Amino acid sequence: MRSWHYGLAICGLLLAACGGTATPASSPAAPASAPASSAAGSKPAASASGAAPAAAGAASRTASSAGTSAAAGGTAAGSAAAASGSSSAAAGAAASGGAAADTPIKIGVLQDLTGFAANNGKDWKDGWDMYWANNPNTVAGRPIQSVVADVAGQPDVALTKAKQLVENDKVDVITGFGFSIECFAVAPYIRQMQMPTLVTGNCAAIHLLTDPKYASPYLMRLGNNPGTGTTLAGYMYDQGARNAIAFTGDNSGYQESVDANSTAFVSKGGNVVQELHPPVGTTDYGPYFSQFDPKADSVFLFIPGLDGLRFGQTYQNYLQPGKYKIFDLAGGPTNEPDQLKTKILGMQTIVRYDQGLTNPLNQAFVKAWAAKFPGRIPNYGVASGYVGAQYIVAALAKVNGNTQDKQAFLDALYNTTLDQTIMGPVHLDKTHDLVSDAYVEKAVAAGTGEVKLEVQQTLKDIGDGSGLTQAQLDKIPFGTLKGKWVGMTAAQLAAMTK
């Protein structure tokens, strides 16, 4: 059965790549209001001096039909009703725990489609939409519907929209997210309402799934986790970095990440010689570049979204090329090679997806993507949206579309393993956190004025990657160590965890 679905997925993507489309069972509903960042398939750009797009006060929401399959997806011709063995409305109703066969399964999406992270949010959303456009839209005879809420990177908006999705739209599961601060805001409500929630975007806070303030059986993470950054920090050290500048946006979620990554770097013997934390939404990084410590040999960078784009547009104007090795955690300048081109030459990053992966699913996906978005490189954000949809569909198929049996659906989300995705194999660990391969990449020249991200190292089965026991994690106050890393030694860090 798995190979059958795998073949359907490839066929659907190849059809899209050749200009065809899989015919959905029903047409998507028109958006209630189109987000400013979602037009025309191109992502928002920003100038170094330009203001960030205004965060929409009332986040737009879109209800749309969505294609699905049990494992890797497929064409609409291989309908999910046939895949599930449902041959009548009555059989569909029985399979879905009494719900009518045509009662939609609603997936609530919280994502940043406007504001300072609109480019990252659009990547995720375009990947999400790409999955549904090329795969069936039913499980056990029930149509799947996405209800999309723009939260604009604002935690209070995320909570408000989560409440609307749960209480007004009656969604069956929530997914998406762009920042840890959004997850922090929504997690207690998720626990209160017992709402299955699978983070498929970016909430990489180290304590998200273990801190009693946020953790619950209803919260899972298939997106970036601490293993991404801590692995990059170890790689920095292995590449000769010894004296690093920690350069991150100034909010609590970013600080958790810099604390986790600094822990990994210092534990190996590295030194943090300077911390710089510009406000989120900074439009001019020149004053910060002028403060760079000349004793540093490297920079650990975490400024995703439009902030990262602005950093990339201007840093070569201020800093001597090659003076500092730049290691970009996630969603920063290296996320925009098609816009920044040679301005990111030499930067390195770590991602959970590389467009050059040779598995057949990814090769078909890249062709389909290029046909739809010429000249735009699919990145991890795109892949996380696409694979997130695939994973939810696989979990729904495990329970024959029955979301009313919440524990069974949760168990399916916990225990789904996808051996074949465009990212490679993915599954959740015992804390319900992502385990997948990761790829260290470097921006290298690729012809006149062009750049490509070239894989330097492939790392297998990367999980949370902290390397610390839970008891040790509990003793390090991640998210509160701003300004305390300069001069921190491995011995001091070890003493903190005893």
Side-chain angles (χ1 to χ4, degrees):
M1 180 67 73
R2 175 175 291 171
S3 61
W4 182 77
H5 287 294
Y6 181 52
L8 281 178
I10 298 175
C11 291
L13 286 167
L14 287 174
L15 181 63
C18 296
T21 57
T23 305
S26 59
S27 299
S33 60
S37 64
S38 63
S42 61
K43 295 192 294 178
S47 67
S49 59
S60 66
R61 296 188 297 144
T62 303
S64 62
S65 296
T68 67
S69 75
T75 64
S79 69
S84 67
S86 298
S87 58
S88 68
S96 57
D102 60 352
T103 301
I105 298 169
K106 292 185 178 182
I107 303 176
V109 172
L110 297 174
Q111 193 50 268
D112 305 325
L113 303 178
T114 58
F116 66 94
N119 53 339
N120 291 352
K122 179 166 177 54
D123 284 337
W124 185 96
K125 178 73 162 46
D126 286 346
W128 178 262
D129 291 345
M130 188 82 165
Y131 178 86
W132 301 121
N134 294 289
N135 294 281
N137 78 331
T138 57
V139 168
R142 297 183 65 189
I144 295 182
Q145 193 176 81
S146 294
V147 186
V148 179
D150 174 17
V151 302
Q154 304 301 317
D156 55 339
V157 176
L159 178 57
T160 297
K161 293 301 174 182
K163 290 179 177 180
Q164 290 181 5
L165 290 174
V166 174
E167 298 170 29
N168 298 343
D169 297 300
K170 309 298 183 184
V171 300
D172 298 285
V173 59
I174 289 177
T175 192
F177 296 94
F179 290 99
S180 293
I181 54 175
E182 297 166 10
C183 288
F184 291 159
V186 172
Y189 176 74
I190 292 303
R191 179 174 57 226
Q192 174 192 344
M193 301 304 291
Q194 301 183 0
M195 172 55 56
T197 299
L198 181 70
V199 176
T200 54
N202 291 293
C203 288
I206 198 164
H207 280 323
L208 180 65
L209 300 181
T210 57
D211 189 326
K213 289 187 295 184
Y214 312 117
S216 76
Y218 308 99
L219 183 61
M220 297 144 278
R221 179 165 55 193
L222 193 74
N224 262 333
N225 63 20
T228 310
T230 54
T231 301
L232 182 62
Y235 177 81
M236 283 175 58
Y237 187 87
D238 293 342
Q239 293 299 301
R242 293 295 182 270
N243 299 300
I245 298 170
F247 192 106
T248 67
D250 192 5
N251 75 25
S252 59
Y254 292 1
Q255 189 61 48
E256 274 219 12
S257 292
V258 75
D259 288 348
N261 303 327
S262 296
T263 296
F265 186 64
V266 171
S267 294
K268 293 199 73 167
N271 302 301
V272 177
V273 298
Q274 186 178 29
E275 292 184 51
L276 292 171
H277 304 287
V280 173
T282 292
T283 57
D284 180 9
Y285 285 99
Y288 295 95
F289 294 142
S290 65
Q291 297 177 47
F292 272 32
D293 190 329
K295 298 191 300 295
D297 55 28
S298 54
V299 179
F300 178 84
L301 187 67
F302 188 31
I303 47 169
L306 295 178
D307 290 351
L309 189 60
R310 295 190 189 102
F311 180 101
Q313 287 171 333
T314 56
Y315 94 102
Q316 286 187 347
N317 298 337
Y318 292 88
L319 302 176
Q320 177 185 342
K323 165 65 176 171
Y324 304 97
K325 293 180 180 179
I326 308 291
F327 295 87
D328 180 19
L329 172 57
T334 56
N335 207 48
E336 308 293 346
D338 47 344
Q339 294 193 55
L340 293 174
K341 300 185 183 298
T342 58
K343 291 180 179 180
I344 62 170
L345 271 176
M347 288 189 184
Q348 297 184 71
T349 188
I350 186 169
V351 290
R352 301 282 183 146
Y353 167 77
D354 179 77
Q355 67 161 340
L357 292 176
T358 57
N359 72 70
L361 253 180
N362 185 57
Q363 290 178 322
F365 168 78
V366 170
K367 288 180 181 178
W369 179 267
K372 186 173 180 62
F373 301 109
R376 183 174 160 197
I377 300 171
N379 55 28
Y380 168 72
V382 171
S384 65
Y386 190 96
V387 175
Q390 179 184 343
Y391 190 96
I392 291 172
V393 166
L396 287 168
K398 278 179 174 282
V399 294
N400 292 321
N402 180 10
T403 55
Q404 293 179 318
D405 186 342
K406 190 168 293 184
Q407 188 57 56
F409 182 40
L410 285 169
D411 288 340
L413 287 166
Y414 301 157
N415 297 315
T416 289
T417 294
L418 297 180
D419 295 330
Q420 298 165 333
T421 80
I422 63 173
M423 291 169 50
V426 300
H427 69 275
L428 302 185
D429 66 14
K430 64 182 180 180
T431 66
H432 308 150
D433 211 348
L434 172 66
V435 178
S436 75
D437 295 345
Y439 310 92
V440 177
E441 298 180 330
K442 185 175 183 178
V444 299
T448 304
E450 298 296 327
V451 69
K452 67 177 181 179
L453 293 170
E454 186 175 83
V455 174
Q456 306 295 297
Q457 188 173 348
T458 298
L459 304 159
K460 306 298 288 185
D461 296 327
I462 299 300
D464 73 11
S466 67
L468 301 175
T469 67
Q470 187 57 50
Q472 290 172 320
L473 288 171
D474 290 342
K475 293 178 181 179
I476 298 178
F478 293 100
T480 68
L481 297 175
K482 176 181 174 181
K484 298 179 181 179
W485 284 106
V486 175
M488 178 80 73
T489 66
Q492 290 172 324
L493 189 61
M496 189 184 301
T497 61
K498 289 182 178 178

